[in-house]
Amino acid sequence: MAADDYIIYTDGACSGNPGPGGWGAVIMHGSDLQEISGSADKTTNQRMELQAAVEALRMVPPGSNVRLHSDSAYLVNCFNQGWMNNWQRNGWQTSKKQPVENRDLWQQLLELSEKNKVEWVKVKGHSNDQLNDRCDQLAREAICSGEKLKSGDINSETEVGLQCPEIISRKTRRLGVLTGGGDCPGLNAVIRAVVKGATYNYDTDVVGFNNGFKGLVENDAALISDLAVSGILNRGGTILGTSNRDNPFDFRPGGSDYKNTGEDRSADALANLDQWGIEALVVIGGDGSLLLAHRFSELGVPILGIPKTIDNDLPATDVTFGFDSAVTTATEAIDKIHTTAESHHRVMVVEVMGRYAGWIALQAGMAGGGDIILIPELPFEYPVIIDKIMERRRRGKKFSIIVAAEGAHPAGEEPVYQEKGEIKRLGGIGDLVAGEIEKRTEMESRATVLGHLQRGGSPTSYDRVLATRFGVKAVELFQAGQYDQMVCLRGNQIESVPLAEAVKGTKRVDPDSEQVKAAIAVGTSFGCRLGENC
Ligand code: F6P
């Protein structure tokens, strides 16, 4: 499938003619699958068929190749047999000189179809085609969720034989989900686990809010079917999108890094949860998002937190998902940097992420055989680093690898930030260390900043499994009615802790830990004097 290829299924349904109507569409682009739907009062089935096609085509960027499947012969034939051309020629009149019904929608369709290369395909209604059936279901759901619908409006004798709720496979309960903060590998695996876990086991629909808390405030949300999460287990990023700058309590459209410049939109978020009939909200996020989640739980929203961050700095869980993938990426990079270090007899500094915790540097540094590991928890001294490099040279090792956490800093100094206006972001320690080494020795030194590479790509198998276990546990807590909890890993057990406890403090590397001691035992330096400041 080419990048500009889209496959669309559409369907419309109506409980009477005219009556409450609904439409649904599924749009497929590569492995992305989007579902949309809507409803209208006192309308006709044909209008809903056309509306579905209009709305779906609106989602497609102009210039795309589109294959649009519909069970409406009228719609498909209109394009395939050129009826619309005749109508236009006759001033939007039929051959019987009658005004063309639904002219507004036909005109919109014509305009949209001219922007793309559309192939119209007639499919059988109520077939065994999963996507086609899903559209039908979306259209029916839309009718039943229409605000104006009362049971008396439903006419079981209509062409679609619609009855609410028997025919509708709407689940009895609803769970919301959003991903907040920086992305990391494994987010999709959690979403999949939440959707499949809820749908298959607990008669629960899942509504996904797009782009973190922004979607919650702006009601940018949609039902996520189990079909929509099929094939995403191994995909990096998040199908829901995320944001680390949209605080509903201090909200500015367009986002902001600046504090206290926005308005409190938490009431909108609450209203949106209410409108969707959501019983509990799963927030997949790091400390920032979980803190916001906690504020919502204080406002009475039943919240379930799932700990995500490559930094692994959340105290209430042994491990966060995403960490193992980031460490794996960093380790592979260190392995590659080794060859240049060795060939050029250089000191290569690899700067990794992790904010104020040294977990990624420690783990990847050990796995990649780093000679010197610099972490924020153990402030370093340049003379100690130089001594280590020189000692290696004396032993015939003419190169050294330094793995520096972005939050690492010399003793008595602050971490290094990249200042962009009022925004301060950690970064730059690698260059600083490499520069000092060149000044203090005759050796060449270079720095490589791994940056967001560590947040990208496919999750490791460990993270896929952890993410799945976390997602399933969150759904189990929902079923048990245990809220304001964050799921966590303790030893090898998935457990949960109160959210209030989970958002307290930062988990940092313990300099006296067995792991640090093991690194020291195999000759790794932390750039500090053993027994003194180390
Ligand atoms: O918390 C994850 C993280 O990747 C940190 O390791 C890093 O300091 C920060 O996010 C970078 O954030 P941003 O992508 O907003 O620059």
Side-chain angles (χ1 to χ4, degrees):
M1 179 183 280
D4 57 353
D5 282 351
Y6 286 78
I7 294 174
I8 295 176
Y9 282 77
T10 63
D11 203 358
C14 199
S15 75
N17 256 334
W23 58 266
V26 174
I27 303 149
M28 240 189 333
H29 179 223
S31 50
D32 289 341
L33 200 135
Q34 197 171 354
E35 294 183 346
I36 54 172
S37 62
S39 61
D41 197 23
K42 295 279 175 270
T43 191
T44 61
N45 203 42
Q46 191 190 94
R47 267 195 88 74
M48 292 294 92
E49 296 287 1
L50 299 182
Q51 193 77 53
V54 165
E55 300 296 342
L57 282 173
R58 278 206 186 116
M59 308 290 293
V60 167
S64 305
N65 294 316
V66 181
R67 185 139 36 93
L68 195 145
H69 303 75
S70 165
D71 65 359
S72 162
Y74 196 57
L75 171 61
V76 172
N77 287 345
C78 176
F79 281 93
N80 287 348
Q81 300 185 10
W83 298 348
M84 196 161 350
N85 296 342
N86 297 339
W87 295 342
Q88 272 179 289
R89 224 176 297 125
N90 298 337
W92 288 95
Q93 289 196 341
T94 62
S95 51
K96 292 184 183 150
K97 303 271 180 245
Q98 294 299 313
V100 172
E101 262 181 63
N102 301 317
R103 174 177 165 178
D104 57 331
L105 290 174
W106 284 117
Q107 280 177 325
Q108 287 177 50
L109 259 186
L110 185 64
E111 218 173 278
L112 286 162
S113 63
E114 280 169 355
K115 289 189 180 148
N116 298 294
K117 197 165 168 294
V118 186
E119 185 190 338
W120 300 86
V121 184
K122 167 81 177 72
V123 287
K124 261 177 78 186
H126 308 285
S127 59
N128 283 330
D129 181 329
Q130 220 187 354
L131 291 176
N132 191 35
D133 287 349
R134 177 66 188 147
C135 283
D136 181 54
Q137 188 191 357
L138 284 168
R140 286 153 181 260
E141 274 184 13
I143 302 176
C144 282
S145 61
E147 267 177 30
K148 296 170 192 121
L149 192 72
K150 292 174 237 78
S151 57
D153 292 334
I154 302 296
N155 172 4
S156 59
E157 301 300 309
T158 62
E159 56 186 298
V160 291
L162 177 69
Q163 291 173 341
C164 293
E166 291 84 357
I167 294 178
I168 310 303
S169 72
R170 175 169 170 179
K171 308 279 183 195
T172 53
R173 306 180 72 193
R174 274 207 175 150
L175 185 59
V177 64
L178 64 83
T179 52
D183 70 333
C184 93
L187 283 166
N188 283 328
V190 181
I191 297 169
R192 171 182 176 270
V194 168
V195 171
K196 293 201 173 193
T199 316
Y200 295 165
N201 304 297
Y202 301 122
D203 194 26
T204 297
D205 271 333
V206 179
V207 175
F209 290 90
N210 295 321
N211 305 316
F213 286 98
K214 186 175 182 353
L216 188 59
V217 168
E218 296 180 341
N219 204 15
D220 180 7
L223 281 169
I224 320 178
S225 68
D226 61 328
L227 194 68
V229 294
S230 153
I232 66 168
L233 177 62
N234 59 350
R235 274 175 56 192
T238 156
I239 57 165
L240 289 174
T242 187
S243 160
N244 51 9
R245 44 169 58 197
D246 289 290
N247 175 352
F249 300 92
D250 182 12
F251 191 82
R252 238 173 52 151
S256 173
D257 271 350
Y258 306 109
K259 303 257 181 278
N260 306 318
T261 56
E263 50 174 324
D264 185 349
R265 297 278 303 272
S266 53
D268 291 320
L270 296 180
N272 294 334
L273 287 170
D274 214 40
Q275 193 199 315
W276 280 97
I278 285 169
E279 270 183 61
L281 180 67
V282 176
V283 174
I284 310 169
D287 55 356
S289 306
L290 294 173
L291 212 57
L292 292 174
H294 185 50
R295 287 187 71 178
F296 276 108
S297 78
E298 286 174 339
L299 294 178
V301 180
I303 295 279
L304 293 160
I306 301 188
K308 162 246 63 156
T309 168
I310 62 164
D311 304 333
N312 196 35
D313 59 355
L314 297 180
T317 182
D318 289 356
V319 189
T320 52
F321 75 86
F323 173 61
D324 186 65
S325 304
V327 167
T328 301
T329 298
T331 304
E332 284 167 3
I334 296 166
D335 286 350
K336 289 187 174 147
I337 295 279
H338 249 99
T339 56
T340 306
E342 215 165 344
S343 310
H344 287 263
H345 315 299
R346 284 179 180 167
V347 179
M348 298 296 282
V349 186
V350 183
E351 181 179 314
V352 298
M353 282 184 164
R355 291 199 303 182
Y356 301 101
W359 295 107
I360 299 179
L362 175 62
Q363 201 91 349
M366 285 181 78
D371 306 299
I372 300 165
I373 299 175
L374 305 177
I375 57 175
E377 295 84 349
L378 286 169
F380 63 85
E381 293 179 8
Y382 285 112
V384 184
I385 295 178
I386 306 297
D387 283 354
K388 177 71 185 174
I389 295 168
M390 291 310 168
E391 177 217 310
R392 282 176 53 79
R393 273 186 80 90
R394 280 195 297 280
R395 286 192 291 110
K397 300 275 191 181
K398 296 203 175 108
F399 73 94
S400 286
I401 300 279
I402 302 181
V403 181
E406 61 182 0
H409 55 92
E413 292 182 26
E414 285 295 301
V416 186
Y417 292 96
Q418 294 174 324
E419 312 251 344
K420 287 200 182 126
E422 287 180 40
I423 305 168
K424 275 173 93 181
R425 291 204 181 97
L426 282 168
I429 187 65
D431 262 332
L432 205 72
V433 170
E436 280 297 324
I437 289 166
E438 289 206 334
K439 262 194 238 156
R440 293 171 191 240
T441 69
E442 286 173 357
M443 292 181 74
E444 266 193 305
S445 183
R446 297 281 192 280
T448 303
V449 182
L450 297 189
H452 291 86
L453 274 181
Q454 296 156 96
R455 295 224 307 244
S458 186
T460 57
S461 49
Y462 178 88
D463 274 338
R464 293 181 204 184
V465 173
L466 183 62
T468 303
R469 293 171 75 194
F470 277 168
V472 167
K473 178 71 179 182
V475 173
E476 282 170 7
L477 291 172
F478 166 70
Q479 178 66 10
Q482 286 176 31
Y483 298 126
D484 309 325
Q485 299 280 310
M486 182 190 84
V487 303
C488 62
L489 181 74
R490 294 266 166 88
N492 195 27
Q493 293 302 310
I494 302 292
E495 297 175 5
S496 70
V497 284
L499 210 48
E501 192 186 308
V503 293
K504 270 194 208 135
T506 303
K507 181 179 69 187
R508 305 181 79 204
V509 174
D510 173 4
D512 290 325
S513 63
E514 169 277 325
Q515 193 176 348
V516 171
K517 285 185 181 144
I520 292 171
V522 295
T524 310
S525 167
F526 283 87
C528 45
R529 289 175 208 286
L530 281 180
E532 289 182 31
N533 55 349
C534 205

